[in-house]
Amino acid sequence: MSFMLTLKKIFSTGTETRDHHPDEKFVTHYYKGMQKKVLHEVESMLNGKKNFNVASVSEERGEIIVRVTGKKKVFLVATVIMVSPNRTSVDFSASTDTILFTDFGYSRRFVTELYKELDPRLHFLGKGLGDKLIK
């Protein structure tokens, strides 16, 4: 990992997953299922967690907006996109509300835990498969 990426990781209050992320933990996860089914499963998982308040669900955009309260406040956006028939991606973007310049890795652990909980709930296909599935 380059020096700049290490600095970004240390001095960060948010984490976002994507298909080509330099850190393997934050690469987009792909699941077998239609977009609507996966979206409802993600929503169900988030609704079932303590201190999670689902503020908005947009089936058209495939977005779920969540406000997390508790010891640390987090603004979470889950994005669910069907990239090919029966193949759907899930990305998370988490921002920690803090007055400091860093959240000390809280948002990174937060996103990692969400994927750990979601993977067994759906049929996990793999990470970073976008390029392979679009062809």
Side-chain angles (χ1 to χ4, degrees):
M1 194 177 289
S2 76
F3 178 71
M4 288 304 290
L5 285 175
T6 303
L7 279 179
K8 256 188 199 177
K9 187 168 81 171
I10 293 169
F11 299 108
S12 171
T13 59
T15 299
E16 189 171 332
T17 64
R18 60 180 182 266
D19 225 18
H20 300 289
H21 200 286
D23 189 337
E24 180 66 25
K25 293 181 205 169
F26 305 106
V27 174
T28 303
H29 285 216
Y30 287 82
Y31 301 95
K32 184 176 183 179
M34 300 302 281
Q35 191 240 6
K36 193 172 189 174
K37 176 187 175 271
V38 174
L39 183 78
H40 288 297
E41 188 61 37
V42 172
E43 180 185 4
S44 172
M45 178 188 82
L46 296 172
N47 266 328
K49 297 178 85 50
K50 185 179 175 184
N51 297 326
F52 279 52
N53 178 26
V54 175
S56 170
V57 178
S58 172
E59 284 189 21
E60 298 82 35
R61 283 198 217 125
E63 285 186 347
I64 302 170
I65 297 173
V66 181
R67 297 191 193 291
V68 182
T69 57
K71 287 184 179 181
K72 294 202 182 210
K73 291 176 177 49
V74 177
F75 179 76
L76 174 71
V77 178
T79 307
V80 180
I81 300 171
M82 190 167 76
V83 292
S84 69
N86 223 25
R87 302 289 190 264
T88 304
S89 69
V90 176
D91 278 305
F92 293 110
S93 176
S95 298
T96 308
D97 185 19
T98 179
I99 59 171
L100 301 174
F101 58 89
T102 181
D103 65 4
F104 300 102
Y106 183 80
S107 60
R108 297 173 63 79
R109 289 187 301 277
F110 186 82
V111 168
T112 304
E113 289 300 316
L114 289 174
Y115 273 142
K116 279 183 189 173
E117 189 174 334
L118 186 60
D119 286 352
R121 293 176 75 130
L122 294 164
H123 186 256
F124 178 67
L125 294 174
K127 298 179 181 181
L129 303 175
D131 294 338
K132 295 174 189 168
L133 293 175
I134 292 175
K135 290 180 183 176

